[in-house]
Amino acid sequence: MSVFPAVHFSMGASTSLKPIIRLSICNMLFYLCSQFSNLFINIYIYQGFSSLRATALYNVVMYVFWIGAFIVGGVISKSSTKRNIMFGALWGIGAIALLMIIPHGILVLDLVVAAMMGIASGFYYMGYNLVLFQFSNAGERGQTIARFNLATSCIAAAMPTLSATVIHAFGYTAMFTVVIAMFAAIFALARPFPRLAFTRTADVPAVPTPPRRRLLGFGLGTFAIAVLTCSLYTYFVNFAAGVLTYSYGSGILGAGWLNTLYALLSLVVNLVIGYGIRAKSDAVRQNFVWMGGAAATIVSALLFMHGAHLLIAFNVVVSLANPLFFSQVNAQQFDAVGQLFDNVATGFIVREALYSAARIGLFLYVSIFGFTAGSLPYFVCISVLCLAPLATVAWNLRAVRMPSILLR
């Protein structure tokens, strides 16, 4: 008998695409929309105010509304998971449409757009997480996530340069139209998904389980540390590759081709992890975790000696290092959700709340103290950043041992 939540299916429209393939396409399109937001909308906001603080405040508002929508999405998932993905697409369309018509450089209106983009992401990722959990196997999710990332990277590698070229030649409105079209495609792809309703199971586990207090005491603390550090590092990397690079003088075209370079490097690593390693088991991929974490820590220390070339070097190395351990760590987090929570939707809400806490904390810090190179707030942030990969790796190794220790 399963310790995981019971899942009820009801098929809607028939489809020739398997759910996992359809989800992969949705994820690719949504990633492209998010990539555009993290890179070019952040640059767009920066251009309106010439301030990293304004850009950081935009992100604070976005992630506050993100977690709110994620929690609401957990409630919606009790009846139909695919609605989350469809709602996310509709809110994304509305956010970009509003950005197209409002005057540039009015902070209050920009923050309304931020709230709408956050709601779009919150709804989408609740649906995505639950569908991925259902249609992937425990112990093999590292490979599944790496293959998802590989499919996404194939398109994402070209997107920054193409977007920058279109913006440079025709302005932001042309690319805003393309992003709206991608959100519309996600909505259409999500409609034929099987209707999944996640409810708490009444089944009796086939293996003895420890008391809930003991399980949470051992597992939830390390789980929380891992999610916080993983989120902090991931979103600083996005910040560094996008608007921070632009603020160092790269220009819109420079930011575009540099992010294409980073995506191509990650594509190669995801290709190796997803297809180059024959064994399906995630345990085989543990050998890469320390390698990636150590490389990320060392290159983060380069940022103490601030400069445009060192920032580019940081982005290049983390493009290679991050896939080595973040795909595996994300897979471990999915497994931990199943081990720690009777209701998977609740587990993902806790995970997303922790992610949002780190994201909001990072951008709130920048919006209050700024991020001037060489300043005390800058050095404090880089010091914390250096510890994040090692803490994430430590969680990964502890997570591998958690089930056997808990069930002794």
Side-chain angles (χ1 to χ4, degrees):
M1 304 294 284
S2 174
V3 296
F4 296 109
V7 182
H8 304 285
F9 296 86
S10 64
M11 298 299 294
S14 61
T15 174
S16 59
L17 287 177
K18 293 181 179 179
I20 195 70
I21 296 175
R22 186 175 291 274
L23 183 66
S24 178
I25 297 172
C26 286
N27 187 58
M28 178 186 69
L29 292 172
F30 199 90
Y31 179 85
L32 293 177
C33 296
S34 298
Q35 182 189 49
F36 181 82
S37 175
N38 290 332
L39 179 57
F40 293 106
I41 292 182
N42 275 337
I43 290 175
Y44 183 76
I45 301 300
Y46 179 85
Q47 289 173 339
F49 304 95
S50 298
S51 170
L52 287 176
R53 290 187 176 186
T55 306
L57 182 59
Y58 172 92
N59 283 273
V60 168
V61 172
M62 181 172 67
Y63 292 123
V64 167
F65 279 85
W66 179 322
I67 185 57
F70 199 88
I71 293 171
V72 174
V75 177
I76 293 174
S77 69
K78 294 178 181 178
S79 59
S80 177
T81 299
K82 70 177 183 180
R83 291 180 187 172
N84 286 289
I85 297 176
M86 297 169 70
F87 286 162
L90 289 175
W91 277 96
I93 291 171
I96 300 300
L98 179 60
L99 196 58
M100 291 174 68
I101 63 176
I102 63 175
H104 191 200
I106 299 180
L107 184 59
V108 173
L109 296 178
D110 289 337
L111 296 182
V112 172
V113 174
M116 295 178 69
M117 287 297 292
I119 292 171
S121 296
F123 276 131
Y124 172 81
Y125 280 110
M126 171 54 83
Y128 166 80
N129 286 340
L130 291 174
V131 175
L132 178 59
F133 183 90
Q134 173 58 29
F135 291 104
S136 61
N137 297 321
E140 298 178 8
R141 289 198 180 95
Q143 184 184 54
T144 301
I145 292 173
R147 289 184 175 182
F148 267 39
N149 292 340
L150 174 62
T152 300
S153 298
C154 290
I155 304 298
M159 189 66 172
T161 295
L162 291 176
S163 298
T165 302
V166 170
I167 292 169
H168 183 76
F170 305 105
Y172 273 93
T173 300
M175 273 309 302
F176 288 158
T177 304
V178 173
V179 174
I180 287 176
M182 289 192 289
F183 276 125
I186 293 170
F187 181 87
L189 283 164
R191 290 194 66 185
F193 267 128
R195 184 177 177 181
L196 307 178
F198 285 75
T199 58
R200 183 167 178 165
T201 180
D203 294 341
V204 178
V207 294
T209 58
R212 177 64 50 186
R213 181 180 300 177
R214 180 184 169 205
L215 188 145
L216 292 178
F218 182 89
L220 190 56
T222 49
F223 176 74
I225 292 172
V227 174
L228 288 169
T229 55
C230 180
S231 177
L232 174 66
Y233 198 82
T234 299
Y235 283 86
F236 179 84
V237 168
N238 292 336
F239 177 71
V243 67
L244 189 59
T245 297
Y246 180 85
S247 72
Y248 272 51
S250 69
I252 198 75
L253 290 174
W257 76 258
L258 282 171
N259 277 270
T260 289
L261 172 62
Y262 306 149
L264 285 171
L265 294 174
S266 294
L267 171 61
V268 172
V269 178
N270 280 317
L271 181 63
V272 172
I273 296 173
Y275 291 93
I277 302 173
R278 290 187 177 183
K280 290 185 177 181
S281 173
D282 287 347
V284 176
R285 291 168 177 79
Q286 297 296 329
N287 298 327
F288 294 95
V289 174
W290 275 112
M291 185 189 306
T297 298
I298 292 170
V299 75
S300 297
L302 287 177
L303 296 181
F304 283 114
M305 302 175 288
H306 51 87
H309 291 89
L310 291 175
L311 180 62
I312 293 173
F314 166 81
N315 287 322
V316 167
V317 174
V318 296
S319 297
L320 295 168
N322 285 8
L324 290 174
F325 66 105
F326 274 129
S327 291
Q328 183 60 36
V329 167
N330 283 332
Q332 293 288 359
Q333 290 175 9
F334 271 67
D335 292 342
V337 165
Q339 295 164 3
L340 294 173
F341 300 93
D342 293 320
N343 189 318
V344 175
T346 301
F348 282 124
I349 288 173
V350 172
R351 177 177 181 262
E352 194 64 28
L354 292 166
Y355 264 98
S356 293
R359 292 182 293 220
I360 293 169
L362 170 64
F363 290 112
L364 187 62
Y365 181 87
V366 175
S367 68
I368 294 173
F369 299 105
F371 201 71
T372 304
S375 65
L376 179 60
Y378 176 88
F379 285 124
V380 169
C381 186
I382 300 305
S383 298
V384 174
L385 188 70
C386 288
L387 299 175
L390 293 180
T392 302
V393 169
W395 145 258
N396 182 271
L397 297 177
R398 188 175 177 87
V400 172
R401 299 172 56 244
M402 187 169 63
S404 62
I405 292 177
L406 287 174
L407 300 177
R408 286 176 182 172

